[in-house]
Structure formats: structure tokens, C-alpha cells
Amino acid sequence: MSLLAIVLPVFGLIAIGFAAARTGLIKDHVGDGLSDFVFTVAVPCLLFKTLATADVPEASPWSYWAVYFAAVIVVWASAHMIVTRGFGRDKPTGTVAGFSAAQANTVLIGIPLILTTYGDAGRVPIFLLIAVHLPLMMSAATLSIELGGSERGDFGETLRKLAVSIFTHPIIIGILLGLVWRFTGWTIPAIPFQILDMLGSTAVPCALFSAGMALKRYGLAGDLRITLTVSFIKLILHPGLVFLFGAYVLHLPPIWLGAAVLFAACPSGINAYLLANRYGTGVRIASSSIALSTALAIISVTGWLWVLTRWAPV
């Protein structure tokens, strides 16, 4: 029951958002606006306030990053190989499949899930992963597709656009500003702090509701075998590897281990669809993987929470 008390409110808000969009109670463009608010205002404010004010523990983040991204490399390569060699798709499509299997919905689902599970103690692990997850994943996916196609355009121009898109991303800006503020040693004045706190507190419910509304547009299409394979790798293999590496190889602290596993257990992120749509390849694989993995995540996340409570080293 304690696990359900964590999972059901999170996925309940997703279900309500989906129902609101499905019934037409709230129009699709409203969902788009809500998602923009989450990405450009609420989450950056939450991350800025967290980084500027949190007590960062002495533990090194390198082992935390190593655990998570070692698993990313394995699942990305596995999905890519299965789709290209097993299903006979081209390399750019394999990149989309690998990206869908390795890139988690960290903002709309990961942050609310970890904050619900660990409270304020989960804020620092959230920041440490969000800070590198978006730049690394988007850069790797973009470069993989560009290098895999002989006629994709000017590679130098691609790098320039990639750098601009990363360093003008609101979440990255929020992190960088929080980092700069922390190094100044200044305290945040009372009224600005209250504003940041109010905006940041909207991140969790708005993110989950907008994730549900976004789910309405992603139906199951294309080869169901590929979608099932990508979803299995995303929901089972990825968090499983993170758990094994973090619990028994590099021995992460319990909350850091839990945050890494729950991040990995999140369904495929919307960035997979945006990447596929931008390059015109693997669009159905990305959209179907988002829909199916999100629908199944309520079961898999509950299972991983149980694993963390029963099998994680203390």
C-alpha cells in the first residue's frame, strides 16, 4: 500500500490529463501551452532554487553518473543492434530506437516521481542527472544520425545549431544560473525566494497533467514487435542495469541509487519523438514507444520501487 501511495498519485494525474484531452474537456493547444510552461518556467525555477540553496553532500557525483550512463550505453547499443540487424531497419532508424530506449522522460515524470518518493532529499540527485542528461543524450543522438547519413547537410552547421539549442534551453539556463548564484554565496531575498518557491511548486502537478495530455496524440502505430522491444528495454533492462551497477558495483548511497533507478525506469521521453520528426525517420517507433512505455510504466515503476525497498543494500 505504501508503494501504491507513491505511484497512484503520479500516474493518476497523468490519467486525468489524458482523460481531459481525450474527452475534449481541455483542447490540445492548452496542453502544449502547459508543457511549455513546465519546461520554460516551472522546472527551471525549481532547479535554480534547488541548486542555489540545497546542501550538496560530499559524495562524488562521478560514480552516480557512471552508473546511469554505463546502463545508457548498453541499452542504446542493444536497441540499435536489434532494430538494425534483427528487424532490418537502417542506421538512423536504429538511432531513434536506441534513443527511445535510453532517453527517459526525466522532466515530466522523473522529477515528480522522485520528489514524491524521496521528498527534498531527492532534489540534489535530480539536479545532478538533469544537468548532464539533456546535453549528452541530445548531442549523442544528433551526432549519430548526422554521422550515419552521407547527405544530412553541413556537419559544422549542425554542431553550431546543436550548441545553440542546448545552451539556450530553459532548463540548462536555470541550472547554469543556479550554479553561478551558488558560487557567489549570496542568499535569495525573501520575496524573490517566495516567487521561485511558488513557481517551482507547480512543476510536479503541471508536468504530470501535461504528460497525460501529450500521451493522447501518441497512438500505437507501425511494427508492434519493435515497440514492445524498445519498451521492454526502457522499462526493464535500463533500470535493471542501473540497479545492478549502482547497488553491487559502485555502491551508491540509498537515495542516489533510488533516484538513478527511478529515472531509468521512466518511460521514453518526448524528445525521442522530436528527434525522429526532425530527421524524418523512425517517427512511428518513437511515438509508439512513448505511448506504450508510459501506459506500462505504472506497473514497472511499482515493481522497481518494490525492488528498491526489498533488495537495495542499506
Side-chain angles (χ1 to χ4, degrees), residues 11-141:
F11 286 91
L13 275 173
I14 294 174
I16 292 172
F18 175 80
R22 184 70 177 174
T23 59
L25 180 64
I26 298 180
K27 303 302 180 184
D28 288 344
H29 70 274
V30 176
D32 293 337
L34 184 60
S35 180
D36 288 342
F37 168 75
V38 170
F39 275 93
T40 60
V41 178
V43 168
C45 286
L46 175 64
L47 293 174
F48 172 82
K49 189 193 75 161
T50 297
L51 184 57
T53 62
D55 293 326
V56 179
E58 293 298 327
S60 170
W62 291 106
S63 58
Y64 177 63
W65 289 331
V67 162
Y68 190 86
F69 288 104
V72 163
I73 292 171
V74 174
V75 301
W76 190 322
S78 299
H80 187 282
M81 186 177 299
I82 290 171
V83 170
T84 54
R85 298 186 180 181
F87 293 100
R89 303 301 178 88
D90 59 21
K91 289 183 178 180
T93 302
T95 294
V96 171
F99 187 67
S100 299
Q103 193 262 343
N105 194 339
T106 54
V107 174
L108 295 183
I109 297 179
I111 291 175
L113 178 62
I114 293 170
L115 288 179
T116 302
T117 305
Y118 296 112
D120 288 342
R123 290 179 181 266
V124 171
I126 285 174
F127 152 72
L128 288 174
L129 191 55
I130 291 288
V132 296
H133 184 269
L134 176 67
L136 284 181
M137 298 297 285
M138 289 302 296
S139 298

Side-chain angles (χ1 to χ4, degrees), residues 3-276:
L3 297 182
L4 291 178
I6 295 172
V7 174
L8 290 183
V10 171
F11 286 91
L13 275 173
I14 294 174
I16 292 172
F18 175 80
R22 184 70 177 174
T23 59
L25 180 64
I26 298 180
K27 303 302 180 184
D28 288 344
H29 70 274
V30 176
D32 293 337
L34 184 60
S35 180
D36 288 342
F37 168 75
V38 170
F39 275 93
T40 60
V41 178
V43 168
C45 286
L46 175 64
L47 293 174
F48 172 82
K49 189 193 75 161
T50 297
L51 184 57
T53 62
D55 293 326
V56 179
E58 293 298 327
S60 170
W62 291 106
S63 58
Y64 177 63
W65 289 331
V67 162
Y68 190 86
F69 288 104
V72 163
I73 292 171
V74 174
V75 301
W76 190 322
S78 299
H80 187 282
M81 186 177 299
I82 290 171
V83 170
T84 54
R85 298 186 180 181
F87 293 100
R89 303 301 178 88
D90 59 21
K91 289 183 178 180
T93 302
T95 294
V96 171
F99 187 67
S100 299
Q103 193 262 343
N105 194 339
T106 54
V107 174
L108 295 183
I109 297 179
I111 291 175
L113 178 62
I114 293 170
L115 288 179
T116 302
T117 305
Y118 296 112
D120 288 342
R123 290 179 181 266
V124 171
I126 285 174
F127 152 72
L128 288 174
L129 191 55
I130 291 288
V132 296
H133 184 269
L134 176 67
L136 284 181
M137 298 297 285
M138 289 302 296
S139 298
T142 300
L143 294 178
S144 178
I145 291 182
E146 290 287 344
L147 293 174
S150 59
E151 298 181 358
R152 293 286 175 183
D154 184 355
F155 185 63
E157 179 64 13
T158 297
L159 288 178
R160 187 191 69 80
K161 290 181 178 179
L162 177 62
V164 170
S165 66
I166 289 175
F167 288 104
T168 59
H169 195 289
I171 290 177
I172 300 300
I173 292 174
I175 291 171
L176 292 176
L177 290 177
L179 188 63
V180 170
W181 191 277
R182 184 177 190 85
F183 281 135
T184 65
W186 299 338
T187 59
I188 302 176
I191 293 178
F193 181 87
Q194 186 176 4
I195 293 173
L196 285 171
D197 189 56
M198 293 173 68
L199 287 172
S201 67
T202 66
V204 170
C206 290
L208 294 172
F209 194 89
S210 64
M213 291 196 69
L215 185 61
K216 179 231 177 189
R217 73 184 63 176
Y218 303 123
L220 294 178
D223 195 327
L224 185 59
R225 296 172 301 168
I226 296 180
T227 302
L228 286 169
T229 300
V230 171
S231 297
F232 173 82
I233 293 173
K234 182 73 213 69
L235 299 176
I236 305 300
L237 182 59
H238 191 186
L241 290 173
V242 170
F243 179 78
L244 290 176
F245 295 161
Y248 301 109
V249 179
L250 293 181
H251 308 289
L252 295 179
I255 291 179
W256 291 47
L257 172 65
V261 170
L262 292 179
F263 261 133
C266 288
S268 298
I270 294 174
N271 281 332
Y273 175 80
L274 298 178
L275 178 80

Side-chain angles (χ1 to χ4, degrees), residues 289-307:
S289 298
I290 292 170
L292 184 61
S293 62
T294 303
L296 296 177
I298 185 172
I299 300 172
S300 60
V301 166
T302 304
W304 285 114
L305 281 169
W306 181 81
V307 168

